């Protein structure tokens, strides 16, 4: 594997999930694989789980890890080819990415969308130019439109905890106070549509995701209808795709509560974190027996380790 940016970069999803669960049972079995290899993690946006879990995964494989908070520690990047750099940008991404590729064997890149210009965000300019110019394998630590390491960990969690062969999985929109990217719901939908699950997306009218990510999903505006008989509920806010990046008024009643949980099949509740308590998810859910958000976050290590292992095997 030379690139991990979406589910489309995975040749066998079931095998990758199985590899992650195998690594969870024996984390240090492949330490020789990463000996004298270096992972560079480039963050243009904040991170807790992605940063720590990917570092831990690399260390488990015997790798060295270097972290660059480019938004705080690096030079302001110029992205446009042919630009006359007489403004605030100091370094072109062509040189920055190429130089980083001289220092590391694998690069991870995290860059969020601006939520102002849909075409620019969905073009994935920052991530794609790192891929183009760095010259080494690249893993997405979340991009403008996808978060594949999170989605792989989510699928690992579902596979690990499911109680029937083909569980019902529901992605439900949740309220928030500000516009959030569509990356996590896009990615989760994309992975679930390729997994062996019964997948439903529930959201208020106006929060439709790009159909490129939802082919094969059942989509409804009725949350109760979606939750009925669910085995797993993935709670996540996202802003509108059209009008892009907007928060639409109302819909505060979409927050998941124990009352709503009662119509499910004792569903396990998931969230990528961080989560705003009593806005996106109630205390009673997060502190109750059905929440598996911490377990899910723990599986971020094994998802990252499975991906890095395949990348190391390709070097």
């Amino acid at each position: 594997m030379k690139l991990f940016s979406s589910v489309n970069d995975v040749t066998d999803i079931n095998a990758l999930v199985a590899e992650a669960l195998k690594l969870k049972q024996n984390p240090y079995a492949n330490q020789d694989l990463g000996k004298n290899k270096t992972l560079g993690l480039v963050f243009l946006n904040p991170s807790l789980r992605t940063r720590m879990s990917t570092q831990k995964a690399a260390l488990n494989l015997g790798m060295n890890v270097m972290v660059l908070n480019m938004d705080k520690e690096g030079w302001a990047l110029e992205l446009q080819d042919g630009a006359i750099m007489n403004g605030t940008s100091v370094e072109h991404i062509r040189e920055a990415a190429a130089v980083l590729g001289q220092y590391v064997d694998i690069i991870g890149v995290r860059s969020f969308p601006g939520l102002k210009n849909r075409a620019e965000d969905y073009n994935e300019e920052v991530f794609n130019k790192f891929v183009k110019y760095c010259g080494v394998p690249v893993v997405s630590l979340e991009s403008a439109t996808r978060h594949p390491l999170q989605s792989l960990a989510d699928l690992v969690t579902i596979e690990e905890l499911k109680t029937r062969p083909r569980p019902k999985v529901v992605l439900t929109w949740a309220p928030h106070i500000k516009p959030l990217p569509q990356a996590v719901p896009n990615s989760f939908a994309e992975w679930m549509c390729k997994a062996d699950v019964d997948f439903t997306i529930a959201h208020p009218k106006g929060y439709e995701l790009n159909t490129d990510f939802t082919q094969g999903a059942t989509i409804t505006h009725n949350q109760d209808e979606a939750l009925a008989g669910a085995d797993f509920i993935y709670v996540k806010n996202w802003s509108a795709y059209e009008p892009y990046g907007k928060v639409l008024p109302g819909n505060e009643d979409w927050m998941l509560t124990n009352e709503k949980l009662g119509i499910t099949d004792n569903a396990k509740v998931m969230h990528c974190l961080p989560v705003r308590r009593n806005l996106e998810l109630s205390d009673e859910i997060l502190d109750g027996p059905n929440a598996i958000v911490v377990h899910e976050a723990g599986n971020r290590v094994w998802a990252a380790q499975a991906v890095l292992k395949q990348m190391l095997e390709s070097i």
Side-chain angles (χ1 to χ4, degrees):
M1 184 187 291
K2 299 289 188 180
L3 175 66
F4 184 74
S5 62
S6 78
V7 69
N8 300 316
D9 297 316
V10 180
T11 56
D12 188 332
I13 299 173
N14 293 332
L16 188 60
V17 170
E19 181 69 48
L21 289 170
K22 181 180 177 181
L23 289 166
K24 186 172 184 176
Q25 297 305 312
N26 193 359
Y28 311 113
N30 307 106
Q31 283 199 320
D32 287 343
L33 193 60
K35 185 178 180 181
N36 297 327
K37 296 291 191 299
T38 300
L39 173 68
L41 301 179
V42 179
F43 291 92
L44 286 84
N45 300 97
S47 177
L48 188 160
R49 280 149 293 276
T50 300
R51 179 190 304 260
M52 300 296 286
S53 63
T54 309
Q55 284 186 262
K56 175 62 174 172
L59 293 171
N60 287 350
L61 290 166
M63 299 185 77
N64 301 308
V65 183
M66 296 194 297
V67 178
L68 174 62
N69 297 305
M70 187 164 277
D71 57 330
K72 302 177 182 67
E73 301 164 351
W75 301 110
L77 289 178
E78 175 60 58
L79 302 178
Q80 297 303 314
D81 291 331
I84 299 173
M85 292 174 55
N86 58 0
T88 58
S89 57
V90 177
E91 182 162 27
H92 202 284
I93 195 168
R94 283 174 173 261
E95 287 78 49
V99 167
L100 285 168
Q102 297 293 302
Y103 303 148
V104 302
D105 300 283
I106 299 172
I107 288 180
V109 180
R110 182 179 181 96
S111 177
F112 289 173
L115 290 179
K116 303 297 182 184
N117 185 312
R118 186 173 71 191
E120 286 183 5
D121 288 345
Y122 274 70
N123 191 42
E124 293 284 11
E125 189 171 27
V126 174
F127 183 80
N128 288 335
K129 288 194 171 180
F130 266 98
V131 173
K132 184 176 181 179
Y133 297 125
C134 73
V136 297
V138 180
V139 56
S140 172
L141 306 176
E142 186 171 4
S143 68
T145 64
R146 291 177 170 98
H147 196 350
L149 283 178
Q150 177 67 56
S151 301
L152 173 56
D154 297 333
L155 184 54
V156 168
T157 303
I158 290 168
E159 179 64 27
E160 184 181 29
L161 300 180
K162 69 183 183 182
T163 57
R164 53 175 169 164
R166 195 168 189 269
K168 180 177 180 180
V169 178
V170 177
L171 168 63
T172 181
W173 184 90
H176 207 282
I177 59 170
K178 65 177 184 178
L180 294 187
Q182 295 118 31
V184 169
N186 279 349
S187 193
F188 184 76
E190 193 172 48
W191 283 73
M192 290 302 114
C193 286
K194 290 183 178 292
D196 188 17
V197 300
D198 177 5
F199 182 51
T200 298
I201 303 172
H203 59 73
K205 291 182 179 179
Y207 284 102
E208 289 74 15
L209 295 168
N210 184 334
T211 56
D212 290 348
F213 300 94
T214 60
Q215 296 298 316
T218 299
I219 301 174
T220 179
H221 302 311
N222 186 321
Q223 190 183 41
D224 288 347
E225 177 184 275
L227 295 179
D231 298 291
F232 294 89
I233 305 170
Y234 201 95
V235 177
K236 186 70 180 81
N237 173 268
W238 62 89
S239 59
Y241 181 72
E242 177 63 48
Y244 185 63
K246 302 301 180 184
V247 174
L248 308 178
N251 306 309
E252 290 82 4
D253 59 343
W254 275 70
M255 184 182 74
L256 189 65
T257 62
N258 275 343
E259 182 179 358
K260 293 181 179 182
L261 200 61
I263 65 175
T264 73
D265 191 9
N266 195 32
K268 298 173 177 63
V269 180
M270 306 174 70
H271 191 287
C272 62
L273 301 179
V275 60
R276 290 182 181 247
R277 282 175 172 257
N278 301 311
L279 178 65
E280 292 178 87
L281 264 174
S282 59
D283 280 342
E284 63 183 11
I285 292 286
L286 286 165
D287 298 330
N290 293 73
I292 56 171
V293 296
V294 174
H295 184 101
E296 175 188 3
N299 279 339
R300 292 292 307 276
V301 175
W302 319 117
Q305 193 166 335
V307 170
L308 292 174
K309 179 176 179 288
Q310 286 201 5
M311 285 189 163
L312 287 168
E313 289 169 343
S314 72
I315 294 175

